[in-house]
Amino acid sequence: MNLTKQVKERILATKLVKQIFQYEKIDSTMRIARRMVEDDSEMASGTMIITESQEAGYGRFGREWFSPDGGLYFTIILGEIYKPSINLVTGLSVAELIERRFRRQTKLSWPNDILVEGKKISGILAETTNDATLIGIGFNSFISNLIPDELCNRATSIPMDTSRKIVFLSDLIIELENNYSIFKKFEFEPFLPRFNKRMAYIGEEIQIISGKKSFRGTVLGVDEQGAIIIDDGREIRNLNSAEISAHDFKTQKNS
Ligand code: BTN
């Protein structure tokens, strides 16, 4: 990954990032970040790890994250533990930037997927370890015909050349810096209307697995804690993303 001096300076001028490690190919930026925090969490705080491709990129529930050359894959190490709804704020930041930069409409598939025309363009992974929160972002900016057949119905890309991609990256870091400072003070509530406005599958039925229980219900929105609100016909449930072990949004629309 080759960040220009200018882009590097722009990123390093934020309070979020104080050092950048750039790679061509690694297993996963999350794994490197985790090792750095485990070695020395103080030193690791404020580190951004970015790569051109990943051999073992992963997402929520340990799912593989397709990471060919040309995509955007990075992790930022934040030196404190944030509430899990930071992943919603991160997704919202990506969505709003896509709308502003590319004039494309986005939807947010709770908790952490960003969709363009109903297909996933970006995914967010927030993990905690020791005293740190690791924010991993994957964005499909590679050429569209790299998307394998089996992902074609679910994934999309906004192809960008390197110069455009790295400006998008620095814009995103600035956006995250602003939004995280609001989140630190006021938590998720200020973001609630913007998230709900873009929330996918409202009014549709989904299945959610939480611990040993499985719920089926209609999506009503998210609450001020960032929990999804579903109506299972008997009661309204607010389910937190940290409690969810799987979910399936590919269900039929309610009529
Ligand atoms: C998801 O959709 O479940 C989250 C996907 C997160 C992918 C990013 S790519 C950069 C970072 N490194 C990883 O291995 N995963 C995250």
Side-chain angles (χ1 to χ4, degrees):
M1 187 76 204
N2 273 328
L3 301 180
T4 58
K5 189 166 169 272
Q6 209 183 8
V7 163
K8 236 174 156 171
E9 280 171 6
R10 214 171 157 225
I11 295 173
L12 293 171
T14 66
K15 288 193 210 77
L16 279 192
V17 181
K18 63 171 198 260
Q19 59 176 346
I20 304 175
F21 287 87
Q22 305 180 58
Y23 299 90
E24 285 305 311
K25 186 190 275 186
I26 47 170
D27 55 353
S28 152
T29 58
M30 292 312 268
R31 294 211 177 114
I32 301 231
R34 191 169 274 274
R35 268 177 246 142
M36 287 181 80
V37 173
E38 281 161 5
D39 279 356
D40 185 338
S41 62
E42 221 174 289
M43 278 282 289
S45 163
T47 303
M48 175 164 103
I49 297 123
I50 181 158
T51 185
E52 195 63 48
S53 67
Q54 298 183 115
E55 287 174 312
Y58 65 92
R60 288 184 84 219
F61 316 126
R63 289 179 189 141
E64 182 192 348
W65 180 259
F66 178 60
S67 314
D69 269 346
L72 182 58
Y73 318 103
F74 67 97
T75 298
I76 300 176
I77 303 171
L78 307 175
E80 58 193 289
I81 304 284
Y82 282 79
K83 293 235 158 97
S85 48
I86 193 164
N87 65 3
L88 279 72
V89 173
T90 309
L92 176 65
S93 308
V94 174
E96 290 182 330
L97 192 62
I98 295 173
E99 289 168 13
R100 279 209 303 280
R101 289 287 168 273
F102 304 105
R103 306 267 159 228
R104 304 286 288 270
Q105 256 199 6
T106 60
K107 286 273 180 195
L108 292 162
S109 170
W110 181 91
N112 65 328
D113 294 351
I114 299 99
L115 312 178
V116 167
E117 284 162 18
K119 295 181 183 180
K120 187 156 166 176
I121 185 105
S122 176
I124 313 295
L125 187 64
E127 295 182 340
T128 51
T129 170
N130 295 355
D131 298 325
T133 304
L134 315 181
I135 303 289
I137 301 184
F139 187 97
N140 299 341
S141 51
F142 44 74
I143 48 172
S144 309
N145 57 15
L146 285 181
I147 301 176
D149 288 349
E150 67 273 20
L151 289 182
C152 250
N153 295 331
R154 284 182 287 134
T156 189
S157 175
I158 297 181
M160 286 184 242
D161 59 19
T162 306
S163 55
R164 203 144 182 236
K165 183 170 83 173
I166 62 179
V167 172
F168 179 78
L169 167 72
S170 56
D171 287 347
L172 180 57
I173 305 294
I174 292 167
E175 202 73 11
L176 293 176
E177 180 189 34
N178 291 335
N179 286 338
Y180 289 171
S181 76
I182 299 171
F183 182 65
K184 253 170 107 162
K185 278 197 211 121
F186 306 107
E187 301 193 358
F188 186 64
E189 204 177 345
F191 302 98
L192 183 62
R194 280 145 66 194
F195 194 97
N196 268 330
K197 192 175 120 192
R198 295 174 176 80
M199 187 161 176
Y201 311 113
I202 291 203
E204 293 180 38
E205 203 178 281
I206 63 160
Q207 177 161 17
I208 281 187
I209 300 168
S210 172
K212 289 199 174 108
K213 291 190 187 141
S214 162
F215 304 101
R216 192 167 258 287
T218 307
V219 179
L220 302 182
V222 281
D223 69 14
E224 46 295 309
Q225 262 81 51
I228 192 166
I229 313 170
I230 62 167
D231 178 358
D232 71 2
R234 276 169 296 134
E235 75 182 278
I236 309 280
R237 295 175 189 275
N238 297 45
L239 297 167
N240 186 309
S241 66
E243 297 161 355
I244 307 286
S245 43
H247 55 53
D248 181 7
F249 285 101
K250 287 178 294 237
T251 49
Q252 293 217 315
K253 214 179 175 117
N254 265 7
S255 48

